Amino acid sequence: MIFSTARTPLRKNRESEHLMESLLSEIMKQASNEGVDLWVEEGALHFRTTQGPLSDSLRSSLKAHRQQIIDTLKSKEGDSLIEPSPEEAHMPFPLTDVQSAYLLGRRESVQGGGVSCHAYFEVEMPGITLESLQRAFEAIIRRYDSLRTMYDESGFQQVLPFDEIDVPKIANLSSDDESSCVELRGTMSHAIHEIHKPPLMGVGLSHAKGVDTVHVSIDFLVADWTSMMVILDTFFEAAKGKALPENDARITFRDYVIAAQKINSDKDRKYWEDRYQDIAIGVDVPMLGSAWKNQFKRLDVKLSKELKDGFLNFAKRVGVSLSALLLALYGASIANWSAQKRNAIVVTLFDRKPLHPDVKKLTGDFTSTGYAVLEQRGQSLGDLAKESFMELMGIVEHNSYSGVAIMRDITRKNGGNKGASYPFVFTSALSSDRKEEFSHNWSISYAITQTPQVGVDFQAAIIGTDLCINWDVRQGVFPDGMIETMFESFCSTLTRVSLGKIRPEDPIIFEVPKDQALTRSHVQQDLDQQAAGRSYAEEMLFDGLLRQAKEHPDRIAVVDSHNCLTFLQLRKRADAIAFQLSEAGIGPKDHVGICMTKGAEQIACVYGTLLAGCTYVPINPSHPDARKEAVAARAGLKALLSNSDARWFRGAVLSPETSLCQTSRFDLPSPPNNPSNNAYAIFTSGSTGEPKGVLVSHKAALNTIQDICARFDVGSDTVALGVSNLDFDLSVFDIFGVIGSGGTLVLVEQGAFANPTLWAQAACSNKITFWNSAPAQMSMMLDATSGERKRRATRHIDIY
């Protein structure tokens, strides 16, 4: 068949048009991916970024095709996704996910609840009068729909006509000392406004020692931070007697919410579903329990222009935004106090979707949330900042599925149990388009915010020329002094970065407070004394099983829902796996993947892989195929042991033939005896989303295992519950520490998410004496069995 290659001029023109459309589409896509909003105003192209300076490539593209982009944006102005419905302005409409969470957090019955999401400000305004404030208060309530909105826990909100609003009277106190200011602060700073009685905002005026101070209390149900600043700007301008400009927005917040909830979020939901296991780890720092106080304390630091510029220069050298660099430092601070290397932080996003040219003219709560999972691996601050940047980009790019919905899904998959804690929130109002947003004709002399179910709310903004950072801390959540010490350490590191004393390639090292350094020194001395005189023979990880199978062949080694294997039976099954690998041409130092559900067969595959001289690489069967394929590729797997469909793997897939274990002898070479050989490689997701693996030798792993066994007297009477997945490093002790010491390992099969109720049942029925997990997993089990604790109070479980 012959195809003609001749082109007519018309065809060339069409192809040229298609190429230009394709090019412009790619530019728009790149802008969206980099968190850049584009719009046309008075014939000029404008942009704002949420993630720092424009990349060189995008800047060049915008400059080269400025007019075509303007024409494209203008042509789309009429294609708004919002249909204005002025005739329905006072009809009920749905709450946003975040608003629903705020309402839920008001309930005393909710862990960390009992407070509203609320902001309080004090602004000194010399000569201001009560009458002018009252007029201004009435004017902004009349002007802004958000201040005339009532909320209902059944899931809706409704804007009321102005004539149905009772405008609150402004409180007015005077004193010769500071008592009037202190009294109003005490009354208003932690107010809980009635959701059915707008405006959900209160104003007070104090005259203390000759200082006139305006006090403002406002609920975040009404407005996010940006909208609050707009409302306060208008309020203070009106109080000074200035006429309010006409509100010419062609849409309402109601129109926006209805349109936004119609956006298809399937793609973004899939993105977050693939990350649920990482997010589910939460944060594991010392916390006091359920007695959270309904008071918040502010810790703050301000970087002068000189220090701010130094901090900005560091961010530019790394190629990230200020927000990403701050998130990196915040995440590293948390990790310094956490029992986990990886921690999940709630990130607040100011999410005004460009659904209509007038969206920027609205006030309301446009807040969305996502999760940043940061791993502390001893990497440089520059690398961690880049990973933080990628986390922020992921949140921006996949924001149509909210953090509230994400946590709802995780809780449902955990059988109604939220499990881990998420006490740390990161909120950044740093963006290139906000340079003038916080340059007001008024300044805040005191402020505090509060958020339900949050322990620490990190906030950053540039006010004037200074970089201002606040930590609003809920009282009664953490041990006394812990957050203050963490903040002091954070500020010290922040200053060193700003002064150039930390370079991008330097690791993040937080200075330990003197009292803690002394305590650590004493603890280390005690540990050194306990370890004095101990010596361990250099062995392979599988030597413990071989010894137990020879000396105590009939004792129980591993139990699951289908099997109860003795040490000899486990040894034979492991030999069968080693033989199977050998027959398939898999030899010493090859990497073998193990993708199997938790159980005795999985344990046999681990031991068998090591007996064959290979390195085992755990792959979680519940992970998406793309991730499993990425781990296999990075690990360089020569074979995969799997008892399920593994079409994603392009190499040899072996189904464990444990039936061979009935054969008493295999023609196997002697097991390798070089403790320096690699035993396993465990992969974590990494903050960039790319799997990152760490190889561990027999010697390195066994050194820790032998020390723990000696400290905690692990032996033949130990019965341990293995709750950690094979791809989590705590499973290494379960398999080689417990079994290798002659103890019994009890396993509970689980899917993508753990079932702590099954753990509790297994712990009770098998008389568990030893628990090895992250504290968050023990917390999950205790939460799941809270109603049964009295019945189980006599059960003795050692937790390490």
Side-chain angles (χ1 to χ4, degrees), residues 88-93 144-150 157-162 164-165 198 252-254:
E88 298 179 357
H90 300 300
M91 296 292 290
F93 61 103
Y144 294 114
D145 287 357
S146 51
L147 291 176
R148 289 183 279 108
T149 303
M150 59 162 287
Q157 54 191 313
Q158 184 174 6
V159 178
L160 303 181
F162 176 76
E164 294 183 20
I165 305 296
T252 64
F253 182 66
R254 180 185 188 278

Side-chain angles (χ1 to χ4, degrees), residues 591-595 609 615-619 637-642:
H591 289 190
V592 176
I594 299 177
C595 185
T609 300
T615 300
Y616 78 87
V617 181
I619 298 180
L637 298 188
K638 289 295 182 67
L640 178 73
L641 290 166
S642 178

Side-chain angles (χ1 to χ4, degrees), residues 177 207 241 385 399 736 784:
D177 55 15
H207 311 275
N399 60 16
F736 303 107

